[in-house]
């Protein structure tokens, strides 16, 4: 039975004066929102996802239904923010057949885990897996480059009798830098930094990374041939594209130079390309797809899995769960407008105006939500409104973007929660009105200690009463400062380090009209 670690500091009980006699206290709505979020994170904990995807059967192991023989032939490599916990669990299950391993993990993570009492995510003293820390601030550095070199060496020495287990999670690209000579590390770092600053998506960024690296874009699998490669992937990219998560080191496939050049051209970086990059892009990458049968990739943790388990917990807490989409993206302003419309649609006493529906169907594609998912969700919310069956928990996930114009401190989850709180303003206060939560599953939102925040229809008045002008904070992208000052930080979601990362979870708790005591 997995030990449940309380990820959340208890929020002081809010004294709530409500106009109507509440059947649900606001605290129960907030605390239930936090419990649903905790269930989402728990479902994708690195040890949990590995334990659930690997089954020992005497001297073989079954992974997602595929059986692989174990003959003291197991080697292990890994790279990513969640890989330490994944490796610890893999060694617990298959350590008796493990020859050796190397993992590349974020600088300082072992000490941080020890400080947070997360020993179950650490390797044992006598582990055969070497831990190499690097990539401070999620940026490739010489420590990570050394780890990548050691991983390449281990893979290259394997034979057809060997089994290479590859553990991959978000942050893996920066932890496995192996620029193709003559590209130097600082040139690759500079190029990816310029791309990120210019607003390139992770998909675009990793398309470029695949083309410039020995190990990304299937390179690790190429070096491991003829060993059997099994990759277990914790996805932090919308749609769980195996070739783009950590830039797909075990996913063979052609990286066409023209595709890379079009990304670089789109962000006006062609003229400043180093000669080394032009040289590498000018050389065709060795094609290797004919031996891809030696590679088995499995996504074992994702936003969809987190939302599914969040829904199960929501049901236990008395909600009817409905998942809108695990692929919410686009500008945070548009995302907040969509959630505002959905809340008004679900909470309106009369038939919602056709304008709201039109506006939602227009916004949907802009924020990565498919039209049929919107229709499906509106049907559930509409029935909830008309038949008053009970409280509804709308769930979604993904990774909205924020155009930073200010100098404040915050993160996309805190900014989204703040904007949605404004959208909810003309709705009822909890316990009869909706509550919104947005949280990063890795426990960190932007450069802050919070993972996100929880808001409701009372946010605007609460801020006004405390002399906080929300627009000023939003204009300065200063959501963390706002929530830290509002009611002594009671709206902040602070789960601490979660050691996993499947992007963000969004949640709208909608009390049933039946609960409203007139
Ligand atoms: N002050 C701010 N207000 C709002 N959003 C911000 C602010 N500062 C940074 N961000 C957003 O946070 C994003 C970075 O978030 P974070 O540091 O949590 O990393 P991440 O995207 O989750 O990466 P990883 O998947 O590696 O954790 C940036 O893309 C930026 O858009
Ligand atoms: O490391 C990376 O490339 C990102 O986290 C996406 O997986």
């Amino acid at each position: 039975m997995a030990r449940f670690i309380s990820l959340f500091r208890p929020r002081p009980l809010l004294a709530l004066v409500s106009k109507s006699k509440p059947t649900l206290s606001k605290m129960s709505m907030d605390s239930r929102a936090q419990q649903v979020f905790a269930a989402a994170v728990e479902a994708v904990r690195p040890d949990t996802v590995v334990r659930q995807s690997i089954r020992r059967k005497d001297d073989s192991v079954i992974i997602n239904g595929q059986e692989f023989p174990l003959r003291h032939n197991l080697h292990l490599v890994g790279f990513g923010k969640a890989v330490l916990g994944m490796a610890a669990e893999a060694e617990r299950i298959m350590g008796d057949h493990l020859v050796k391993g190397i993992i590349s993990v974020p600088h300082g993570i072992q000490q941080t885990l020890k400080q947070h009492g997360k020993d179950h995510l650490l390797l044992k003293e006598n582990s055969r897996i070497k831990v190499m820390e690097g990539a401070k601030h999620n940026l490739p550095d010489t420590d990570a480059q050394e780890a990548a070199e050691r991983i390449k060496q281990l893979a290259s020495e394997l034979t057809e009798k060997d089994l290479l287990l590859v553990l991959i999670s978000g942050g893996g690209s920066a932890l496995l830098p192996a620029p193709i000579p003559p590209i130097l590390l600082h040139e690759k770092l500079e190029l990816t930094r310029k791309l990120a600053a210019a607003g390139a998506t992770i998909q675009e960024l990793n398309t470029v990374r695949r083309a410039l690296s020995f190990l990304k874009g299937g390179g690790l699998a190429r070096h491991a041939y003829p060993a059997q490669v099994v990759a277990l992937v914790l996805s932090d990219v919308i749609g769980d594209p195996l070739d783009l998560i950590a830039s797909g080191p075990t996913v063979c496939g052609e990286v066409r130079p023209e595709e890379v050049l079009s990304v670089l051209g789109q962000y006006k970086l062609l003229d400043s390309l180093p000669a080394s990059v032009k040289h590498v892009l000018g050389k065709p990458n060795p094609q290797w797809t004919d031996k891809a049968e030696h590679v088995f990739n499995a996504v074992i943790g994702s936003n969809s899995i987190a939302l599914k388990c969040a829904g199960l917990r929501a049901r236990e807490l008395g909600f009817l769960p409905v998942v809108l989409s695990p692929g919410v993206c686009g500008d945070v302003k548009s995302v907040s407008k969509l959630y505002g419309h959905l809340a008004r649609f679900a909470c309106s006493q009369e038939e919602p105006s056709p304008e709201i529906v039109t506006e939602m169907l227009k916004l949907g594609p802009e924020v990565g939500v498919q039209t049929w998912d919107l229709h499906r969700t509106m049907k559930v919310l509409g029935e909830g409104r008309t038949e008053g069956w009970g409280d509804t928990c709308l769930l979604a996930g993904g990774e909205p973007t924020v155009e930073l114009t200010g100098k404040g401190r915050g993160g996309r989850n805190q900014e989204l929660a703040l904007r949605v709180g404004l959208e909810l303003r003309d709705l009822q206060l909890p316990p009869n009105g909706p509550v919104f939560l947005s949280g990063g599953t890795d426990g960190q939102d932007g450069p802050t200690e919070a993972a996100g925040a929880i808001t409701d229809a009372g946010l605007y008045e609460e801020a006004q009463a405390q002399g906080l002008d929300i627009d000023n904070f939003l204009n300065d992208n200063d959501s963390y400062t706002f929530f830290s000052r509002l009611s002594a930080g009671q709206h902040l979601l602070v789960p601490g380090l979660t050691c996993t990362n499947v992007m963000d979870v969004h949640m709208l708790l909608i009390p049933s009209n039946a609960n409203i005591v007139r």
Side-chain angles (χ1 to χ4, degrees):
M1 173 69 180
R3 197 158 43 97
F4 179 77
I5 300 164
S6 168
L7 290 173
F8 301 97
R9 69 176 180 216
R11 286 156 57 93
L13 193 61
L14 280 180
L16 179 84
V17 178
S18 161
K19 303 181 197 75
S20 58
K21 186 172 162 300
T23 51
L24 280 175
S25 76
K26 175 176 182 331
M27 187 57 197
S28 73
M29 291 293 274
D30 272 21
S31 64
R32 288 199 282 171
Q34 290 193 48
Q35 288 182 46
V36 173
F37 179 74
V41 171
E42 188 68 15
V44 286
R45 247 175 45 169
D47 51 337
T48 304
V49 293
V50 169
R51 186 166 53 249
Q52 288 175 345
S53 60
I54 294 183
R55 187 162 61 85
R56 267 303 287 272
K57 192 182 135 201
D58 307 327
D59 280 345
S60 70
V61 63
I62 297 169
I63 298 175
N64 279 19
Q66 190 109 350
E67 186 161 349
F68 302 96
L70 291 173
R71 306 270 184 284
H72 301 288
N73 59 340
L74 178 65
H75 296 70
L76 183 151
V77 296
F79 27 88
K81 295 181 172 179
V83 155
L84 190 52
M86 295 170 80
E89 189 63 27
E91 188 165 32
R92 272 192 283 272
I93 299 171
M94 300 181 286
D96 54 332
H97 286 275
L98 180 63
V99 177
K100 65 177 171 181
I102 300 174
I103 55 174
S104 178
V105 296
H107 177 80
I109 190 165
Q110 296 176 96
Q111 190 193 344
T112 309
L113 289 177
K114 281 191 191 105
Q115 284 164 354
H116 286 74
K118 303 217 188 246
D119 300 65
H120 59 289
L121 296 179
L122 289 167
L123 295 177
K124 298 191 298 286
E125 286 300 312
N126 62 347
S127 168
R128 292 198 190 91
I129 302 170
K130 180 176 179 50
V131 182
M132 299 180 76
E133 296 190 354
K136 255 186 197 163
H137 315 303
N138 208 20
L139 294 172
D141 57 16
T142 49
D143 291 335
Q145 190 170 26
E146 170 60 21
E149 182 52 38
R150 303 281 287 269
I151 285 172
K152 179 159 72 86
Q153 218 174 326
L154 182 153
S156 308
E157 291 160 0
L158 300 178
T159 70
E160 70 282 354
K161 298 190 181 67
D162 291 318
L163 173 63
L164 178 64
L165 184 66
V166 183
L167 304 177
I168 300 174
S169 83
S173 288
L175 286 161
L176 195 75
I180 298 173
I183 300 174
L184 300 173
L185 181 64
H186 76 82
E187 290 175 320
K188 192 174 172 210
L189 173 58
E190 203 41 43
L191 180 57
T192 45
R193 197 188 262 138
K194 282 180 185 169
L195 272 170
T201 63
I202 190 68
Q203 290 81 358
E204 292 164 334
L205 206 51
N206 288 2
T207 297
V208 174
R209 284 165 155 164
R210 282 171 65 89
L212 307 181
S213 167
F214 258 137
L215 295 177
K216 297 178 171 77
L220 176 60
R222 232 184 351 261
H223 280 86
Y225 183 79
Q228 171 67 53
V229 173
V230 176
L232 303 183
V233 181
L234 193 52
S235 168
D236 70 327
V237 180
I238 287 175
D240 310 332
L242 279 165
D243 62 330
L244 293 175
I245 299 164
S247 307
T250 57
V251 182
C252 314
E254 191 193 359
V255 189
R256 294 194 315 278
E258 57 276 16
E259 205 180 332
V260 179
L261 292 170
S262 88
V263 171
L264 296 171
Q266 184 183 334
Y267 294 100
K268 301 179 179 36
L269 295 175
L270 284 176
D271 299 343
S272 59
L273 268 191
S276 61
V277 172
K278 286 179 186 160
H279 172 80
V280 167
L281 288 178
K283 273 190 332 177
N285 237 340
Q287 288 318 309
W288 195 78
T289 47
D290 57 324
K291 303 178 182 71
E293 73 277 6
H294 279 260
V295 185
F296 177 79
N297 288 297
V299 173
I300 60 170
S302 66
N303 193 275
S304 301
I305 292 172
L307 295 181
K308 182 163 163 278
C309 295
L312 294 173
R313 184 75 183 111
R315 199 180 285 278
E316 288 168 3
L317 292 169
F319 291 99
L320 174 89
V322 55
V323 175
L324 171 67
S325 164
V328 176
C329 55
D331 186 84
V332 67
K333 299 184 192 73
S334 304
V335 175
S336 64
K337 281 192 171 34
L338 178 64
Y339 288 132
H341 287 318
L342 283 165
R344 280 186 283 278
F345 178 89
C347 297
S348 71
Q349 301 302 312
E350 295 77 37
E351 188 59 26
S353 69
E355 289 71 35
I356 283 193
V357 177
T358 309
E359 182 58 19
M360 281 196 282
L361 293 174
K362 190 161 87 44
L363 275 171
E366 256 182 65
V367 295
V369 178
Q370 307 299 335
T371 304
W372 61 82
D373 283 332
L374 260 179
H375 279 303
R376 170 179 54 80
T377 304
M378 283 193 278
K379 183 170 182 301
V380 172
L381 297 179
E383 285 165 359
R385 179 169 41 76
T386 51
E387 289 157 35
W389 57 42
D391 304 336
T392 307
C393 172
L394 172 70
L395 289 162
E399 202 160 276
T401 50
V402 177
E403 188 193 339
L404 294 181
T405 52
K407 302 211 173 333
R409 280 187 74 199
R412 59 176 181 259
N413 288 281
Q414 292 162 84
E415 179 146 338
L416 177 61
L418 183 46
R419 289 183 180 280
V420 173
L422 283 182
E423 289 286 334
L424 302 178
R425 192 181 162 194
D426 52 358
L427 294 178
Q428 294 239 343
L429 276 174
N432 300 324
V435 165
F436 180 78
L437 175 151
S438 183
T441 54
D442 61 356
Q444 193 181 20
D445 187 35
T448 78
E449 59 137 17
I454 304 178
T455 52
D456 58 47
L459 184 80
Y460 181 79
E461 276 68 26
E462 195 178 341
Q464 284 291 84
Q466 297 176 34
L468 300 172
D469 180 332
I470 291 179
D471 287 336
N472 287 347
F473 285 99
L474 282 175
N475 293 337
D476 200 25
N477 298 114
D478 207 11
S479 51
Y480 178 71
T481 308
F482 170 78
F483 282 115
S484 300
R485 290 189 191 158
L486 183 71
S487 306
Q490 285 179 9
H491 290 265
L492 281 174
L493 186 64
V494 191
L497 191 69
T498 69
C499 308
T500 192
N501 182 9
V502 291
M503 302 179 286
D504 307 336
V505 168
H506 306 155
M507 186 188 319
L508 190 62
L509 299 185
I510 303 152
S512 148
N513 290 338
N515 282 333
I516 294 180
V517 178
R518 300 268 176 271

